[in-house]
Amino acid sequence: MKKLLITAVLVSAVFSGASAQDNKALMIEKEVKADINRAAGMFYARYTAKAPKDTPAPKGKKPFYINHYGCPGPYYLDKSEYYTETYAVFTKADSLGKLTKLGKDVLRRITLLAQDAKDRDGELTERGAQQSRTLVKQMMDRFPDMFTPKGYYSVRSIVENRCIMTMQEGLLQLSSSLRPIVARSKASLQERRFMDPVDNELTSQRLDSLTSITYKRFTDLNTNDNRLMSSLFNDMNYVMTNIDAFKLSKQLFILAGNVQHSSYAGVFSLFDIFTPEEIHRHWRKQNAWHYINYGGCKLNGGWQAYLQRSTLRNMIHMGDSMLKRYNPLMHLRYTNATTIMSLVCLMDLNGYGLHTANLDSLEDYGWANYRIAPLGGSIMMIHYRTDRDDPDVLVKVLLNGEEATLPIPTDCAPYYHWQDVKRYYLRKLYRYENRRINIKSK
């Protein structure tokens, strides 16, 4: 009887685990259907219409320090070839009479996008500027204790146009809403050491032979561009001899995801030229690519997120250095979306520190790039206390404005004891550095 009971429990656990994974994959499917722009992955513009509701802090605790890392808002693609090369392919085919009716209409849409983006590589769009202002305004509304005339605001950016413009819009919103204000902004190469660090040794391991072969196989299984090409061009022999269908399809998909940021958002779409299955396959390929390069993919060792170890160490250092500060202080830092993605994975927020070698399983575990680092995405670590002598400082982490879970035990979720958070992450970083030293010494 005992054996039967144990077997039944084990079977139940297996099926409940499988059911939970199925539910996560189904949820991603529903989210993309609800807003097709999510298929753009890291080019998806973070939703800003309504700020999430906060769980009240434990009695007497108030925020006194916020460490914010954000990525740029919606911007024109920084690689102009997505516009120019695609336009060139279609105009040449049109001059030879090789476009279908749909192909001619797609050329019209691409022409409008290319004209809108001309000489604006990497520039923040109007929607991006408004998003940055909205997010800062929401932050001020959610944490009014942080925004007083006695507060200090350090606003910094890496040296990239879209990041600097996002920073400026946020600072303009801050200064227009709060007067007087004590703030300083800065964009310097010095910021790279903790906002966009470089580790050539680690990045060189991203696409080793095993990873490259596996990803190539994954993309082959998720690629079939024949239907799309035949809907755009009336001569498949011309397509086979003159067009790189894989490349063109990818460029069209990226342009489709970028329409939402342009002045033509709501006027037309490019997602309509793809079937739902094709959209899903394109997104899966991008999602897997981001996981390989910035997540915990076991194929290349599972260490890529540790590129942000200096960023995380700086967050811990700054959190400790603020414990005895009298007045509120905020660090608003703007960097690349890839930095945010790696940092999320390193901190294992919401379980996104996932380690697997199975690229097909990412959806089953709920690992979706548009959830982790969309345009305008951010990580905010908010520190709470009763007063400057409070021995039990608490922290809460917001991922893209939503309260996030940390891989750390707590008795007051979504709040965590700072000493527990600091201890956990310092030990994690120590284990990695120790392993790296040991490998080099062999």
Side-chain angles (χ1 to χ4, degrees), residues 333-345:
R333 292 167 172 165
Y334 293 94
T335 182
N336 287 315
T338 53
T339 297
I340 301 300
M341 176 168 279
S342 288
L343 186 57
V344 169
C345 294

Side-chain angles (χ1 to χ4, degrees), residues 8-295:
V9 170
L10 289 173
V11 170
S12 175
V14 169
F15 276 104
S16 63
S19 176
Q21 290 183 348
D22 289 343
N23 288 338
K24 288 181 179 180
L26 185 60
M27 181 60 69
I28 290 174
E29 184 181 340
K30 287 182 177 179
E31 287 175 349
V32 175
K33 282 184 178 178
D35 184 356
I36 194 64
N37 287 316
R38 289 191 173 103
M42 292 177 73
F43 283 120
Y44 174 61
R46 173 180 162 187
Y47 181 75
T48 59
K50 187 178 180 181
K53 199 169 183 180
D54 288 290
T55 302
K59 188 176 181 180
K61 303 285 187 181
K62 292 184 178 180
F64 67 96
Y65 171 56
I66 294 180
N67 200 350
H68 164 283
Y69 276 82
C71 53
Y75 60 91
Y76 293 99
L77 293 170
D78 54 351
K79 295 181 180 178
S80 59
E81 58 265 28
Y82 284 117
Y83 302 105
T84 57
E85 290 184 1
T86 310
Y87 175 77
V89 168
F90 275 84
T91 51
K92 180 181 178 181
D94 187 42
S95 68
L96 297 173
K98 301 298 183 180
L99 291 182
T100 63
K101 183 178 179 181
L102 176 61
K104 288 179 179 291
D105 191 54
V106 169
L107 171 58
R108 177 187 65 84
R109 290 180 252 177
I110 292 173
T111 303
L112 293 173
L113 289 174
Q115 290 171 346
D116 186 43
K118 185 174 174 57
D119 298 326
R120 289 178 167 180
D121 300 8
E123 179 185 317
L124 207 65
T125 65
E126 184 177 340
R127 184 179 183 186
Q130 185 57 55
Q131 184 202 60
S132 181
R133 286 173 171 267
T134 300
L135 291 175
V136 170
K137 179 66 167 60
Q138 288 179 355
M139 194 189 310
M140 297 178 74
D141 292 340
R142 291 175 73 175
F143 307 106
D145 293 324
M146 289 297 303
F147 298 92
T148 70
K150 294 182 179 179
Y152 180 77
Y153 311 95
S154 175
V155 190
R156 301 184 181 185
S157 169
I158 61 172
V159 186
E160 285 200 10
N161 190 30
R162 57 184 179 270
C163 297
I164 294 173
M165 293 180 74
T166 303
M167 174 188 73
Q168 288 176 330
E169 293 293 340
L171 184 58
L172 285 170
Q173 179 63 50
L174 186 62
S175 61
S176 65
S177 303
L178 184 65
R179 295 178 182 177
I181 182 174
V182 181
R184 184 189 178 195
S185 64
K186 181 182 178 184
S188 167
L189 292 175
Q190 287 184 330
E191 314 305 318
R192 291 194 68 183
R193 65 189 186 278
F194 61 89
M195 292 176 65
D196 188 24
V198 175
D199 186 330
N200 293 328
E201 180 182 346
L202 193 57
T203 53
S204 68
Q205 300 166 8
R206 282 180 175 168
L207 292 174
D208 57 20
S209 57
L210 173 62
T211 309
S212 297
I213 291 170
T214 306
Y215 182 67
K216 175 66 166 57
R217 183 180 178 186
F218 180 80
T219 56
D220 288 344
L221 291 172
N222 284 278
T223 299
N224 186 346
D225 301 314
N226 291 335
R227 188 216 61 83
L228 177 63
M229 293 299 109
S230 63
S231 71
L232 301 173
F233 302 96
N234 56 30
D235 185 347
M236 288 304 290
N237 287 326
Y238 174 80
V239 172
M240 292 175 63
T241 56
N242 293 275
I243 294 175
D244 183 340
F246 179 86
K247 181 179 180 180
L248 179 60
S249 182
K250 178 182 176 181
Q251 289 176 326
L252 286 169
F253 188 76
I254 290 175
L255 287 177
N258 203 252
V259 171
Q260 63 184 293
H261 315 316
S262 73
S263 57
Y264 294 103
V267 178
F268 63 74
S269 172
L270 274 175
F271 278 124
D272 63 308
I273 69 174
F274 300 93
T275 66
E277 178 61 26
E278 288 167 349
I279 291 172
H280 183 230
R281 286 180 174 181
H282 275 287
W283 173 77
R284 293 192 82 213
K285 288 184 285 188
Q286 286 190 5
N287 196 51
W289 176 257
H290 291 143
Y291 180 66
I292 287 170
N293 283 269
Y294 312 111

Side-chain angles (χ1 to χ4, degrees), residues 300-338:
N300 54 21
W303 306 108
Q304 291 305 311
Y306 281 85
L307 179 61
Q308 301 307 322
R309 60 193 182 278
S310 62
T311 309
L312 180 55
R313 191 175 287 109
N314 182 263
M315 291 180 74
I316 296 169
H317 168 71
M318 295 307 299
D320 258 357
S321 68
M322 299 298 152
L323 293 177
K324 295 299 181 180
R325 183 177 173 83
Y326 282 98
N327 298 318
L329 185 143
M330 175 181 290
H331 281 118
L332 280 169
R333 292 167 172 165
Y334 293 94
T335 182
N336 287 315
T338 53

